[in-house]
Amino acid sequence: MSGHIYIIGLGPGDQNLLTIEVATLLPNLTDLVGYGPYVQRVQVPDTIRKHSSDNREELDRARHALLLAQQGHRVGVVSSGDAGVFAMASAVFEAIDHGDPSFKETEVTVLPGISAMFAAASRLGAPLGHDFCAISLSDNLKPWEVILKRLRLAAQADFVIALYNAVSKARPWQLDTAFELLREELPLDIPVAFCQAISRENEHIEITNLKDAKASMGNMQTLVLIGSRYSQLLTTQQKTWFYTPRSIK
Amino acid sequence: MSGHIYIIGLGPGDQNLLTIEVATLLPNLTDLVGYGPYVQRVQVPDTIRKHSSDNREELDRARHALLLAQQGHRVGVVSSGDAGVFAMASAVFEAIDHGDPSFKETEVTVLPGISAMFAAASRLGAPLGHDFCAISLSDNLKPWEVILKRLRLAAQADFVIALYNAVSKARPWQLDTAFELLREELPLDIPVAFCQAISRENEHIEITNLKDAKASMGNMQTLVLIGSRYSQLLTTQQKTWFYTPRSIK
């Protein structure tokens, strides 16, 4: 008998940023699988078993979820933000693709969530109003040279750049190296925003420019948004906004 | 007296894909402003005035919303998907930046939504599991040469590419030209998905490859997702999935 895996995007943190679809589904699961802090964040009845695991164990976690589903469970695999963005959705499909053939009998449903980049963008104003890209700065899963090449091409394409996994204790030098490269390609006055823990209690936003941006402004909870040469700051009575116009000349 | 503008992402269409935040706010507005089909989609009490306008009138619409807010109204400016992605959020900030100085007194809140690309990705599996970009193919707001340059750089960077405004009656040749360019840069067997009206009653998905992709497979409600050279198709008992692995060698 095969159960069902639901790959769930929990959004950035605030319960109000769940979709109605996800909020309705969660209490009807039998098991929750995910990285510890995300599983603990979910408010569900005590009858639902929570299986927490460490970071960087995505494939093991996906296999565990598949085995639970094979026992007939209704398993929620949870990620922060949107599960399809540098998160568990790909891990589940990789585990099916390269795992036991019986995994291909599992029913899977993917439920989208508000990704970190769109949560951050909503606080800043409209930085993603024109063409943009998302790059994970972690070299755990791809070579560092590939990351640098992509950053340079993204700058040449004038994409607004959202950097995921931008700051890590294990690789504190990477973000500063990325800024150095971008300073070779882009005007020094374009806005750069450090967006920490959006919608959670320690939310903190710092806006600077490419000249002054430093890795020390962020931590492991920070998404970094780098404007294009068209991005603007706009100060109103309320606050300073960061937006990218829809049109370019 | 100044009111308040709420820039609202309605998600792809299904009411269950609204965030709780948006669903809670909508009945408490006084006015809704937006492109006709989006405004009509919103289920709110009859007491809330609906101001529909045509497509391509974003700046006029933003100014109209600002004038209503200045009269003390609580105005929702609605977009499909996420309002920050090729939608009304940038238009509102442009209207404030370049409009009457009193516009800078307006309070603004941006509420994120499930964007078309993440809704489509959830149906396909996990196409956006690795670095990706979003490009609007419309040359109403930027030169066509810029679009072609960005497409080439995106392909060279091996981004998965989400194409917004991919098909238009006014410019039916553009998407085929884009595919031709991408065929010069990428393997011909990478997956390409045409994702129409996700979560609405006429939802339709067609998966092909870069060699066979044709503009005639889409319409004005279609988001086109083009894989990177690492993207995979995976056929299970349930369906054929499209995913991009988290890691590259």
Side-chain angles (χ1 to χ4, degrees):
Chain A
M1 171 189 171
S2 272
H4 200 126
I5 287 194
Y6 298 88
I7 305 175
I8 298 170
L10 293 175
D14 181 347
Q15 296 292 311
N16 284 316
L17 291 174
L18 292 180
T19 63
I20 294 169
E21 179 182 63
V22 167
T24 306
L25 172 70
L26 285 171
N28 295 305
L29 299 171
T30 59
D31 298 77
L32 277 179
V33 171
Y35 174 48
Y38 303 152
V39 169
Q40 296 316 316
R41 182 201 292 175
V42 184
Q43 295 168 14
V44 286
D46 289 344
T47 49
I48 299 178
R49 274 156 300 185
K50 291 186 170 181
H51 309 266
S52 297
S53 49
D54 278 348
N55 212 343
R56 297 207 197 175
E57 296 182 0
E58 289 91 349
L59 266 183
D60 284 344
R61 193 186 297 148
R63 284 187 211 106
H64 182 208
L66 287 159
L67 292 171
L68 288 168
Q70 286 192 323
Q71 294 162 27
H73 296 220
R74 294 166 58 82
V75 185
V77 177
V78 295
S79 293
S80 187
D82 182 280
V85 179
F86 309 121
M88 284 304 296
S90 285
V92 170
F93 291 108
E94 285 173 58
I96 295 173
D97 209 357
H98 304 296
D100 191 279
S102 67
F103 285 169
K104 295 199 171 67
E105 299 164 18
T106 314
E107 292 269 321
V108 179
T109 304
V110 184
L111 291 81
I114 300 293
S115 69
M117 65 195 286
F118 290 163
S122 73
R123 287 295 201 270
L124 293 169
L128 304 175
H130 198 78
D131 301 337
F132 62 88
C133 69
I135 299 177
S136 168
L137 212 62
S138 167
D139 63 353
N140 290 329
L141 298 167
K142 67 190 164 203
W144 179 239
E145 310 77 62
V146 170
I147 298 172
L148 292 179
K149 178 188 168 196
R150 289 180 182 176
L151 283 170
R152 194 176 295 279
L153 290 165
Q156 290 170 353
D158 246 321
F159 289 135
V160 176
I161 301 172
L163 287 182
Y164 281 74
N165 306 311
V167 181
S168 157
K169 279 185 189 160
R171 40 187 178 77
W173 51 273
Q174 289 185 334
L175 181 56
D176 279 326
T177 306
F179 286 138
E180 272 172 43
L181 180 151
L182 293 173
R183 283 190 278 264
E184 297 171 13
E185 298 286 343
L186 292 167
L188 297 181
D189 61 347
I190 63 170
V192 174
F194 290 78
C195 307
Q196 174 191 298
I198 298 299
S199 87
R200 301 198 294 281
E201 56 188 12
N202 57 333
E203 172 173 327
H204 180 72
I205 290 179
E206 190 164 349
I207 299 178
T208 179
N209 59 36
L210 184 55
K211 174 168 170 286
D212 297 328
K214 284 189 293 285
S216 59
M217 293 170 174
N219 62 32
M220 288 186 66
Q221 297 184 302
T222 303
L223 181 110
V224 178
L225 264 171
I226 301 156
S228 76
R229 69 186 68 234
Y230 304 101
S231 299
Q232 304 285 330
L233 296 183
L234 162 68
T235 298
T236 68
Q237 281 191 11
Q238 183 184 0
K239 67 190 257 192
T240 294
W241 299 96
F242 171 177
Y243 80 96
T244 308
R246 299 159 307 133
S247 63
I248 62 176
K249 282 87 212 164
Chain B
M1 173 187 171
S2 271
H4 200 126
I5 287 194
Y6 298 87
I7 304 175
I8 298 170
L10 293 174
D14 181 350
Q15 296 291 312
N16 284 315
L17 291 174
L18 291 180
T19 63
I20 295 169
E21 180 182 63
V22 167
T24 307
L25 172 68
L26 285 171
N28 293 306
L29 299 171
T30 58
D31 298 77
L32 278 179
V33 172
Y35 174 48
Y38 303 151
V39 168
Q40 296 316 316
R41 183 202 291 175
V42 184
Q43 296 168 12
V44 286
D46 288 344
T47 48
I48 299 178
R49 274 157 299 184
K50 291 185 170 182
H51 310 265
S52 298
S53 48
D54 279 348
N55 211 345
R56 298 204 197 179
E57 296 183 358
E58 288 92 349
L59 266 183
D60 284 344
R61 194 187 295 149
R63 282 186 214 108
H64 182 208
L66 285 159
L67 292 171
L68 288 168
Q70 286 192 321
Q71 294 162 26
H73 295 220
R74 295 166 58 82
V75 185
V77 177
V78 296
S79 293
S80 187
D82 182 280
V85 179
F86 308 121
M88 283 304 296
S90 285
V92 170
F93 291 108
E94 286 173 58
I96 295 173
D97 209 357
H98 304 295
D100 191 280
S102 67
F103 285 169
K104 293 198 171 69
E105 298 165 19
T106 314
E107 291 271 320
V108 179
T109 303
V110 185
L111 291 79
I114 301 293
S115 69
M117 65 194 288
F118 291 162
S122 73
R123 289 293 201 271
L124 294 169
L128 303 175
H130 199 78
D131 301 337
F132 62 87
C133 70
I135 299 176
S136 169
L137 212 63
S138 166
D139 63 352
N140 289 331
L141 298 167
K142 66 191 166 203
W144 178 239
E145 309 79 59
V146 170
I147 298 173
L148 292 179
K149 177 187 169 196
R150 289 180 182 176
L151 283 170
R152 194 176 294 279
L153 291 166
Q156 291 170 352
D158 245 320
F159 289 134
V160 176
I161 302 172
L163 287 182
Y164 281 73
N165 306 312
V167 181
S168 158
K169 278 186 191 160
R171 42 187 177 77
W173 51 273
Q174 289 187 332
L175 181 56
D176 280 325
T177 307
F179 285 138
E180 271 172 45
L181 179 151
L182 293 173
R183 283 191 278 265
E184 297 171 13
E185 297 285 342
L186 292 167
L188 297 182
D189 61 347
I190 64 171
V192 174
F194 291 78
C195 307
Q196 175 192 299
I198 298 299
S199 88
R200 302 197 293 280
E201 56 188 14
N202 57 333
E203 172 172 328
H204 179 72
I205 290 180
E206 189 164 351
I207 299 179
T208 180
N209 59 37
L210 184 55
K211 175 170 170 282
D212 297 328
K214 284 190 293 285
S216 57
M217 293 171 174
N219 61 31
M220 287 187 68
Q221 296 184 302
T222 303
L223 182 110
V224 178
L225 263 171
I226 301 155
S228 76
R229 67 186 69 233
Y230 304 101
S231 299
Q232 304 284 331
L233 295 183
L234 163 68
T235 299
T236 68
Q237 282 191 8
Q238 183 184 359
K239 65 190 258 191
T240 293
W241 299 96
F242 171 177
Y243 80 96
T244 308
R246 297 158 309 132
S247 64
I248 62 175
K249 283 87 210 167

